[in-house]
Amino acid sequence: LALVSARQQQSRPQGQTCEFALPGKIMEPLVAILMTLAALSDASVLRVPITRLAVRQEDPLDGQSDFEAASLLDLAEQNNQTERVTLVNHLNVVYYGDIQVGTPGQVLRVVFDTGSANLWVPNYLSGSERYYDPMRSTSYEPTHQAFHIRYGSGPVLGQFCRDTVAIGELGLSNFTFAEVDDLSGFHNFHMLPFDGVLGLGFPSLSVGKVPTVMQALVDSGQLQEPTFAFYLGHDEQGELMLGGVDPERFVGNLTYINVTNPGYWAVPLDFIRLGDFLTMNLTATAIIDSGTSLLVGPEREVEAIAALLGARLFNGLYLVRCNELPNITFALDGHDFPLAGAELVIQGFRSFCVLGLKSMRMRKPMWILGDVFMRKYYVQFDWNQRRMGFALASHRNDHNTTNLI
């Protein structure tokens, strides 16, 4: 998740405990971002307006819930739906939204992560401020299967269970997910503004080989289309659309690219071009990952880009003088997706800017195009046809109608 990325699943001999052994995707970069911003703020250099913590007009967790728990039993009968999920934007580095778990529903905040495939939420033993209490659910059913997933910042431990899960008006009864009771090894989890993770990756990524939320929704026939789509706002809330797209959230037409790896949402990467002075074609794959805050790439390539930008590392993030920065273009399967230099910046202080760029050592080189990329481009994820559609996102006061090349 910022969460991180390129994971390999290892099964225990007993088949009851599983983990991701990827290079530290989830949450480690996000924690680093938050700690770096805090450090700069403590140095009386960074000024973060408090309104950035409330970029949406209304917090879905304040007051009455958007959905009624009493209607959960009827949800499976409602077919051909689309569901809009409001995503709270925290400092332009993480987006999260509400789900309900149990009967009656308990509201929790989750990151909707295309880079993983499991749903997990903390339970009352985890020490989290907000948690899922199975004792309050009349539809809870325990299992004896352990859950173990390892992120760059540490492990998350618990066990699988079955209960009702609702996303807006969409509901899944007797769904298998993980209730996490041990976050003690996860460094600084309390700094993160969400409670759990809902994976939207393909079944081959599922720890424990349990069903995924998206596959269950598709199989239930509730969705109008077997797709979902993301709009990530800049200094404003985002939106996850399940079962279709929101035409008001993008301009022009969707450009479709087939997925090359039916695990991650991976597409061919032809080359990366920085301004007019650097083109690299060393890496052949890019992953579109809503759970990663930044652009994450192989160490050698990121260091080359940073050197040409005159950027320096500070707490694991690159700082650069806020002069005019060159564009960076990702060529995906014959289509160019440029980002303006200013769109690489996630925060600024005085004359310096924090770049949304991070390096990672990987066994198999790949680029992870996270929220920095997905703010610029509206992305539709087509579950059945194993493809993604890209279009320029339509932001507030944005009248750009240019089509993709």
Side-chain angles (χ1 to χ4, degrees), residues 342-397:
E343 292 166 339
L344 295 177
V345 175
I346 59 173
Q347 186 58 268
F349 62 98
R350 291 189 179 174
S351 61
F352 288 91
C353 287
V354 180
L355 296 181
L357 183 67
K358 186 175 178 65
S359 66
M360 182 182 295
R361 294 183 179 178
M362 306 177 183
R363 296 177 184 174
K364 181 180 179 181
M366 66 183 69
W367 274 84
I368 303 163
L369 306 184
D371 297 347
V372 169
F373 179 86
M374 293 179 67
R375 266 192 295 276
K376 176 71 174 284
Y377 296 102
Y378 187 91
V379 185
Q380 180 198 46
F381 298 78
D382 191 324
W383 187 265
N384 282 357
Q385 297 193 59
R386 299 298 196 258
R387 65 179 186 173
M388 284 178 280
F390 299 85
L392 286 170
S394 179
H395 293 286
R396 292 181 306 186
N397 303 321

Side-chain angles (χ1 to χ4, degrees), residues 91-292:
L91 295 174
N92 287 330
V93 295
V94 62
Y95 298 79
Y96 56 88
D98 290 357
I99 64 171
Q100 283 197 23
V101 181
T103 307
Q106 302 172 41
V107 181
L108 293 169
R109 299 169 166 175
V110 296
V111 169
F112 294 89
D113 177 26
T114 59
S116 66
N118 290 85
L119 167 62
W120 66 261
V121 294
N123 66 16
Y124 63 98
L125 296 175
S126 66
S128 294
E129 180 180 351
R130 293 174 303 273
Y131 56 83
Y132 161 62
D133 186 351
M135 301 303 293
R136 292 171 46 204
S137 175
T138 59
S139 50
Y140 169 76
E141 181 182 338
T143 74
H144 300 290
Q145 183 180 3
F147 174 76
H148 179 192
I149 187 169
R150 178 175 291 277
Y151 298 119
S153 293
V156 173
L157 308 174
Q159 53 281 325
F160 288 103
C161 66
R162 299 184 185 91
D163 208 336
T164 299
V165 175
I167 308 172
E169 294 297 318
L170 303 172
L172 298 171
S173 60
N174 201 36
F175 183 76
T176 301
F177 62 94
E179 52 169 315
V180 168
D181 53 31
D182 187 357
L183 292 164
S184 61
F186 196 104
H187 187 56
N188 287 322
F189 184 82
H190 66 280
M191 291 186 62
L192 302 177
F194 52 88
D195 309 314
V197 176
L198 192 155
L200 292 168
F202 292 110
S204 60
L205 286 184
S206 173
V207 171
K209 300 303 180 184
V210 300
T212 69
V213 169
M214 189 60 189
Q215 187 64 62
L217 287 174
V218 171
D219 292 345
S220 72
Q222 296 179 68
L223 299 178
Q224 189 175 90
E225 300 175 0
T227 67
F228 60 91
F230 277 93
Y231 168 84
L232 301 184
H234 179 76
D235 290 337
E236 62 173 329
Q237 66 190 19
E239 177 185 274
L240 167 65
M241 174 72 82
L242 294 162
V245 298
D246 184 350
E248 295 185 358
R249 293 297 194 180
F250 62 92
V251 296
N253 301 315
L254 290 167
T255 297
Y256 288 98
I257 300 177
N258 291 330
V259 170
T260 58
N261 181 341
Y264 298 105
W265 291 93
V267 294
L269 175 60
D270 303 328
F271 60 82
I272 300 171
R273 183 171 57 243
L274 182 67
D276 297 323
F277 43 84
L278 174 67
T279 299
M280 297 183 293
N281 59 359
L282 302 175
T283 300
T285 300
I287 292 172
I288 311 302
D289 189 353
S290 62
T292 295

Side-chain angles (χ1 to χ4, degrees), residues 68-108:
E68 297 294 330
S71 65
L72 290 180
L73 295 179
D74 298 327
L75 293 179
E77 300 177 1
Q78 302 176 17
N79 298 323
N80 298 320
Q81 299 183 72
T82 59
E83 182 66 41
R84 301 171 191 267
V85 180
T86 297
L87 301 179
V88 177
N89 176 353
H90 183 75
L91 295 174
N92 287 330
V93 295
V94 62
Y95 298 79
Y96 56 88
D98 290 357
I99 64 171
Q100 283 197 23
V101 181
T103 307
Q106 302 172 41
V107 181
L108 293 169

